[in-house]
Amino acid sequence: MMMELTSELNEEDKSSESNRLLPPIQSNPKKSIELFEQDDSLEVAYESSDKISIEDIDVESANDYTIPGPFSWKKLWRFTGPGFLMSIAFLDPGNLEGDLQAGAIAGYSLLWLLLWATVMGLLIQLLSARIGVATGKHLAELCREEYPNWARYLLWIMAEIALIGADIQEVIGSAIAIQILSRGVLPLWVGVIITASDCFMFLFLENYGVRKLEAVFAVLIGTMALSFAWMFADAKPSGKELLVGVLVPKLSSKTIRQAVGVVGCVIMPHNVFLHSALVQSRKIDPNKKGQVQEALNYYSIESTLALLVSFMINLFLTTVFAKGFYGTEQASSIGLVNAGQYLEAKYGGGLLPILYIWGIGLLSAGQSSTITGTYAGQFIMGGFLDLRLKKWLRSLITRSFAIVPTMIVAIIFNTSEATLDVLNEWLNVLQSIQIPFALIPLLTLVAKEEVMASFKIGPVLQTLLGLTPVDSRPLLADLRHADWPTQAPRRISWTVAALVIVINGYLLLDFVMSEVNGLLFGSLVCIGTAAYVAFIIYLIAREGVLSPTWTRLLSAKSSAILGN
């Protein structure tokens, strides 16, 4: 043993002597472009120097981090920001188109559904914030650590596809707004190029700190709120019908498609990943329970306020089109492209023509959502692949993923309004397909004690069809002795997730039944559906959410579909 140690020391001495005689060759940093960060640590959402300090530590509370401190308006202000960035996904051009179509076709009757869809979205986003604060990692990073490589790469591809689909809608929405505001002088593809420049604006703002970026988004949200509130005031909708629409559930067979669209637009897969990263912009130590619980409390308040604002904006837009176009011949043909012309014809010009007000609101929605899409793309790519690229390079790659297909789409589909409507339907279906691959990892990870420690929402016992044990007697015994404050959120979460997935599944089925023609295309769809269902079953069964009986049953069903 001593001889081996002596030999190693001699080798080290020789190595150090050779280094002194022949120093290692160093590359000239001026002649090389640094594309990767030099730090060897893992990818993180925010560097420590970029995070915002929350609390002023005083002498009395400096050593007490086990319980959250008293409520403070100052602290709430410091936590305000991530929730409003998250809420922009509820206000993107795809959601606005769903709002105007719901108002024009269903009138005031789906306002109650808009309210409850927003509540459902709030629950999912609170879980996303919870996992980010409690672990100090965002969802994409946790998926990288939790799943094997093949599943991780599949989840990453699905997230990127969902992001590209959302980004195309957002960029096209901005381009339409630019076309409206230029009175048709600038074609759609020019608007796409202008919108693409937001990548550089994002990089510019990011260099000035998180709070500056959040302030810009606050201005954009304020612009949307002011624009659509102005339209709401011009339209003068019925207050009684509005109140009845919000409080009284009503659904008819003629408005099923619009109802599905209202709920389907609420959960954006990339937004689930985004919010879990945004909450890490504040300095919170995951090892200190009091700090974590305090952050969760403030983020819950902030996210609720943010989605309340988004609900009001969506409400304004839906009621404007309900007042102006419900029951008219134009109702079924209104979309983002021609909405401004219909509004101008219905409500006239005035001091500030409603066409331009609509264009300003739509441009604010499109620009803000495309920038958050770039943000989400950075976290998704960096988290799943653990890439420590320079910010400018990562933003450029993320932006290119969306801009290149969007440019192609803008050139191909700019022939008529009908082709853009068809494109929008395909993109909605594309995003609906990806929803389980964001919700299932979120709900399984947020219930794992190994990941969340004391902040887990509890094991998933399964209230829904397929999530309950076959023998109900142990379940009844569990219910009598259940920890309801802990178990209630998990049951509600899985119920909401299942409802969203089923509703989007209906949208997918309706679309496939109307669009899929031909034996070859139909066979490919069946095979793809079987693989899709099998991956979902894997994600759920891997965490023990399904009982073995249900796993075997669903596997048999998938095999039967594949066989047919």
Side-chain angles (χ1 to χ4, degrees), residues 326-348:
Y326 177 57
T328 65
E329 294 180 357
Q330 304 100 324
S332 59
S333 60
I334 295 179
L336 283 182
V337 179
N338 56 19
Q341 285 77 15
Y342 280 121
L343 286 169
E344 189 175 38
K346 180 69 178 179
Y347 296 109

Side-chain angles (χ1 to χ4, degrees), residues 154 437 525-537 558 561-562:
L154 268 179
F437 306 120
V525 169
C526 288
I527 294 173
T529 302
Y532 174 80
V533 173
F535 189 39
I536 291 176
I537 293 173
S558 300
I561 294 173
L562 186 58

Side-chain angles (χ1 to χ4, degrees), residues 227-368:
S227 299
F228 298 138
W230 189 309
M231 291 169 56
F232 180 83
D234 276 355
K236 297 181 176 65
S238 168
K240 180 181 177 181
E241 290 185 72
L242 189 156
L243 193 61
V244 170
V246 171
L247 299 178
V248 180
K250 186 188 301 183
L251 189 63
S252 69
S253 58
K254 296 179 181 179
T255 60
I256 288 290
R257 192 178 184 88
Q258 284 67 44
V260 170
V262 167
V263 179
C265 289
V266 166
I267 307 298
M268 305 288 284
H270 73 274
N271 206 39
V272 177
F273 289 98
L274 175 64
H275 198 199
S276 65
L278 291 175
V279 295
Q280 293 176 47
S281 59
R282 274 58 178 172
K283 288 183 179 179
I284 304 297
D285 188 347
N287 298 316
K288 296 171 181 175
K289 293 183 179 180
Q291 282 192 7
V292 172
Q293 187 59 60
E294 184 177 59
L296 293 175
N297 294 341
Y298 283 113
Y299 277 135
S300 297
I301 297 171
E302 186 244 0
S303 297
T304 302
L305 292 175
L307 290 192
L308 177 61
V309 172
S310 75
F311 169 72
M312 293 305 300
I313 293 174
N314 286 316
L315 179 73
F316 289 155
L317 192 60
T318 304
T319 52
V320 166
F321 283 86
K323 175 64 165 51
F325 304 101
Y326 177 57
T328 65
E329 294 180 357
Q330 304 100 324
S332 59
S333 60
I334 295 179
L336 283 182
V337 179
N338 56 19
Q341 285 77 15
Y342 280 121
L343 286 169
E344 189 175 38
K346 180 69 178 179
Y347 296 109
L351 179 63
L352 183 60
I354 197 169
L355 173 66
Y356 294 121
I357 299 173
W358 162 248
I360 292 169
L362 181 59
L363 182 62
S364 298
Q367 284 294 322
S368 59

Side-chain angles (χ1 to χ4, degrees), residues 182-507:
S182 67
R183 297 297 287 182
V185 173
L186 299 177
L188 200 65
W189 64 270
V190 174
V192 170
I193 293 175
I194 294 173
T195 306
S197 64
D198 67 16
C199 173
F200 303 102
M201 185 176 105
F202 165 74
L203 285 172
F204 176 76
L205 293 173
E206 197 176 27
N207 290 330
Y208 283 88
V210 175
R211 291 302 264 180
K212 302 294 190 303
L213 186 64
E214 291 172 349
V216 170
F217 283 108
V219 170
L220 292 172
I221 293 173
T223 303
M224 274 186 276
L226 184 61
S227 299
F228 298 138
W230 189 309
M231 291 169 56
F232 180 83
D234 276 355
K236 297 181 176 65
S238 168
K240 180 181 177 181
E241 290 185 72
L242 189 156
L243 193 61
V244 170
V246 171
L247 299 178
V248 180
K250 186 188 301 183
L251 189 63
S252 69
S253 58
K254 296 179 181 179
T255 60
I256 288 290
R257 192 178 184 88
Q258 284 67 44
V260 170
V262 167
V263 179
C265 289
V266 166
I267 307 298
M268 305 288 284
H270 73 274
N271 206 39
V272 177
F273 289 98
L274 175 64
H275 198 199
S276 65
L278 291 175
V279 295
Q280 293 176 47
S281 59
R282 274 58 178 172
K283 288 183 179 179
I284 304 297
D285 188 347
N287 298 316
K288 296 171 181 175
K289 293 183 179 180
Q291 282 192 7
V292 172
Q293 187 59 60
E294 184 177 59
L296 293 175
N297 294 341
Y298 283 113
Y299 277 135
S300 297
I301 297 171
E302 186 244 0
S303 297
T304 302
L305 292 175
L307 290 192
L308 177 61
V309 172
S310 75
F311 169 72
M312 293 305 300
I313 293 174
N314 286 316
L315 179 73
F316 289 155
L317 192 60
T318 304
T319 52
V320 166
F321 283 86
K323 175 64 165 51
F325 304 101
Y326 177 57
T328 65
E329 294 180 357
Q330 304 100 324
S332 59
S333 60
I334 295 179
L336 283 182
V337 179
N338 56 19
Q341 285 77 15
Y342 280 121
L343 286 169
E344 189 175 38
K346 180 69 178 179
Y347 296 109
L351 179 63
L352 183 60
I354 197 169
L355 173 66
Y356 294 121
I357 299 173
W358 162 248
I360 292 169
L362 181 59
L363 182 62
S364 298
Q367 284 294 322
S368 59
S369 56
T370 51
I371 297 174
T372 54
T374 303
Y375 221 8
Q378 289 194 19
F379 294 132
I380 289 172
M381 180 181 291
F384 274 109
L385 305 182
D386 192 23
L387 294 179
R388 291 191 58 80
L389 298 174
K390 291 290 187 180
K391 286 182 180 180
W392 66 269
L393 180 60
R394 197 190 313 170
S395 294
L396 187 62
I397 294 174
T398 304
R399 190 81 304 214
S400 300
F401 269 36
I403 292 302
V404 172
T406 303
M407 284 294 296
I408 297 171
V409 163
I411 294 171
I412 295 175
F413 287 86
N414 195 25
T415 56
S416 68
E417 295 175 6
T419 55
L420 284 174
D421 290 338
V422 171
L423 168 67
N424 191 57
E425 288 185 11
W426 276 95
L427 292 175
N428 285 336
V429 169
L430 182 69
Q431 293 174 76
S432 298
I433 292 173
Q434 315 305 327
I435 285 177
F437 306 120
L439 292 188
I440 294 174
L442 172 66
L443 294 179
T444 53
L445 290 172
V446 83
K448 286 192 70 171
E449 188 171 2
E450 297 88 344
V451 175
M452 299 291 294
S454 60
F455 291 97
K456 69 184 180 73
I457 61 169
V460 185
L461 283 176
Q462 347 92 185
T463 315
L464 308 173
L465 178 63
L467 300 178
T468 55
V470 177
D471 184 359
S472 62
R473 288 172 296 178
L475 176 61
L476 294 176
D478 286 344
L479 294 179
R480 284 195 296 269
H481 304 287
D483 176 13
W484 286 102
T486 301
Q487 293 187 6
R490 73 163 173 243
R491 292 193 175 92
I492 296 171
S493 302
W494 277 98
T495 303
V496 168
L499 183 61
V500 171
I501 291 172
V502 167
I503 288 173
N504 282 277
Y506 172 86
L507 175 65

Side-chain angles (χ1 to χ4, degrees), residues 73-237:
W73 289 104
K74 184 178 180 181
K75 279 190 179 181
L76 178 60
W77 172 249
R78 289 181 179 178
F79 276 106
T80 299
F84 282 90
L85 267 70
M86 168 272 296
S87 72
I88 287 169
F90 291 70
L91 300 168
D92 70 350
N95 276 278
L96 300 187
E97 185 166 32
D99 291 339
L100 63 88
Q101 288 175 346
I105 296 173
Y108 299 91
S109 64
L110 295 181
L111 292 179
W112 67 275
L113 190 59
L114 176 63
L115 171 62
W116 286 105
T118 305
V119 173
M120 289 164 51
L122 173 63
L123 175 63
I124 297 299
Q125 294 304 148
L126 289 179
L127 292 179
S128 177
R130 186 183 189 88
I131 203 170
V133 173
T135 64
K137 300 176 182 178
H138 57 83
L139 185 57
E141 291 177 299
L142 292 170
C143 288
R144 184 188 73 230
E145 297 173 358
E146 181 70 17
Y147 294 100
N149 285 339
W150 69 270
R152 167 166 63 101
Y153 288 126
L154 268 179
L155 288 172
W156 170 62
I157 291 171
M158 295 298 183
E160 290 288 357
I161 290 173
L163 180 59
I164 290 171
D167 221 356
I168 290 175
Q169 285 182 315
E170 293 156 0
V171 172
I172 292 290
S174 291
I176 291 172
I178 292 171
Q179 196 174 43
I180 291 172
L181 295 174
S182 67
R183 297 297 287 182
V185 173
L186 299 177
L188 200 65
W189 64 270
V190 174
V192 170
I193 293 175
I194 294 173
T195 306
S197 64
D198 67 16
C199 173
F200 303 102
M201 185 176 105
F202 165 74
L203 285 172
F204 176 76
L205 293 173
E206 197 176 27
N207 290 330
Y208 283 88
V210 175
R211 291 302 264 180
K212 302 294 190 303
L213 186 64
E214 291 172 349
V216 170
F217 283 108
V219 170
L220 292 172
I221 293 173
T223 303
M224 274 186 276
L226 184 61
S227 299
F228 298 138
W230 189 309
M231 291 169 56
F232 180 83
D234 276 355
K236 297 181 176 65

